[in-house]
Amino acid sequence: SRVAHHHGKPALFVSCHAAPSHHMSAKTDFWAGWCGGVAGVLASHPADVLRTRQATNALSLKETAQALFRASGSWVGLYRGVYSPCFFVGLEKSVALGTYKWCLQDTPTPSVLHTTAASVTGGAAAGLTIAPMEVVKVRTITQSSAWRPRRTWLGALLGMEWSVISKLQARDIARSIGFVCVRDGYGTAWFLVPYECIKSSAQRCLPAGSNPMLPVVAAGIVCGPIGWLSVYPLEVYRIHAFKSGAGAPRADERGLAGVAANVRRIHQSGGGGAAGGGGGGGGRAAAARCRREWLE
């Protein structure tokens, strides 16, 4: 058969390396992002469970892990609440990054202000998609109900999560939307703005022919903790507001007065360090009370 040439290369070679259509690229990016997100959830969920439990008690990391082990009879307890994040993670990532790119599509060289506005918009939009999941995850992780053994540990984990979903109310989701949109809008800006700056600086400094993934990896490693630390005090507050057994706020706990009252409770139960990790040194009486509640 005849082989045409294109700029000195066989046409067959060019066609095999041609860029995919926009539709196929978007679909591939979506599923690749979803699968990568699920892998990330499975790898990091035990740490997520521990830090969520620590945010509501005065125990050390070791004591929190031991309490979960005793309640579950195995380390499977570290994966309580894992189903809902796995289900929603692909949608969250695609909405966040898709909205971010859409906001900057007509800006070839966005300024810091443009990047900040696009980051806040993308994060807040993603928050709308995961608000129900965040309530389910926090309540599943913090519930004190006994572990119910089933034929498989997957069934036991699903049973715990379904018991929370079956009791979920519309007002819980409505309250969660506000918290999560503020958290993700603010946190995404603190992640993406320095991420873009560091990535651009690294691309300029690296010699020609360097691996293009190096700036991306370096920027992600540096900016991931920055974004998380920026929202962690709000995250601790959100965990306390939506933990299992928290219930709906009373009339005198709404608005700024309610925020102040919740912050005081967090401080009393975990000390000043509670906003940074949940296990900070609180008063001896508060620590003893939390130990009785979580280790029994």
Side-chain angles (χ1 to χ4, degrees):
S1 59
R2 183 176 62 88
V3 179
H5 283 68
H6 179 77
H7 296 295
K9 297 180 180 180
L12 180 62
F13 179 85
V14 174
S15 64
C16 288
H17 290 76
S21 67
H22 176 74
H23 174 72
M24 290 300 296
S25 178
K27 182 184 291 187
T28 302
D29 287 346
F30 176 79
W31 286 113
W34 195 310
C35 293
V38 170
V41 167
L42 294 176
S44 63
H45 195 75
D48 200 11
V49 170
L50 290 175
R51 63 102 184 168
T52 301
R53 300 274 289 201
Q54 273 197 292
T56 57
N57 62 38
L59 305 180
S60 68
L61 181 65
K62 180 180 178 181
E63 290 171 325
T64 301
Q66 288 174 338
L68 280 170
F69 181 80
R70 279 193 290 271
S72 308
S74 70
W75 293 113
V76 173
L78 292 173
Y79 278 93
R80 56 171 67 196
V82 74
Y83 282 100
S84 52
C86 286
F87 182 77
F88 279 93
V89 65
L91 184 61
E92 175 204 1
K93 300 302 181 187
S94 62
V95 169
L97 294 178
T99 304
Y100 173 73
K101 291 181 178 180
W102 178 79
C103 291
L104 297 177
Q105 63 180 346
D106 297 326
T107 312
T109 55
S111 65
V112 173
L113 181 61
H114 285 125
T115 304
T116 302
S119 302
V120 171
T121 305
L128 292 171
T129 67
I130 62 170
M133 176 273 289
E134 290 287 1
V135 180
V136 172
K137 185 177 76 170
V138 167
R139 290 186 177 174
T140 305
I141 291 173
T142 58
Q143 66 179 333
S144 56
S145 58
W147 179 268
R148 298 177 181 177
R150 297 172 182 260
R151 284 194 299 175
T152 64
W153 60 269
L154 289 172
L157 291 174
L158 182 60
M160 294 183 70
E161 206 156 342
W162 181 251
S163 69
V164 173
I165 295 173
S166 62
K167 300 174 184 176
L168 196 63
Q169 298 180 358
R171 68 182 180 186
D172 297 325
I173 298 175
R175 288 177 61 213
S176 179
I177 287 175
F179 277 99
V180 176
C181 286
V182 171
R183 182 199 69 181
D184 287 7
Y186 181 75
T188 303
W190 275 99
F191 170 75
L192 283 177
V193 173
Y195 171 86
E196 295 289 357
C197 294
I198 293 174
K199 185 181 73 171
S200 299
S201 299
Q203 287 171 338
R204 290 193 299 268
C205 295
L206 288 175
S210 299
N211 191 322
M213 286 298 297
L214 290 177
V216 175
V217 172
I221 291 174
V222 173
C223 299
I226 294 175
W228 189 241
L229 289 173
S230 69
V231 299
Y232 204 72
L234 178 61
E235 177 67 358
V236 172
Y237 178 87
R238 188 188 66 83
I239 291 170
H240 275 259
F242 291 97
K243 66 182 180 180
S244 179
R250 300 192 306 267
D252 60 344
E253 291 182 336
R254 300 181 188 277
L256 293 178
V259 173
N262 204 346
V263 170
R264 282 195 298 270
R265 284 195 294 270
I266 293 171
H267 180 77
Q268 290 167 0
S269 65
R284 186 169 297 177
R289 182 177 68 253
C290 288
R291 283 184 173 87
R292 287 196 299 271
E293 293 174 354
W294 287 87
L295 293 180
E296 287 179 349

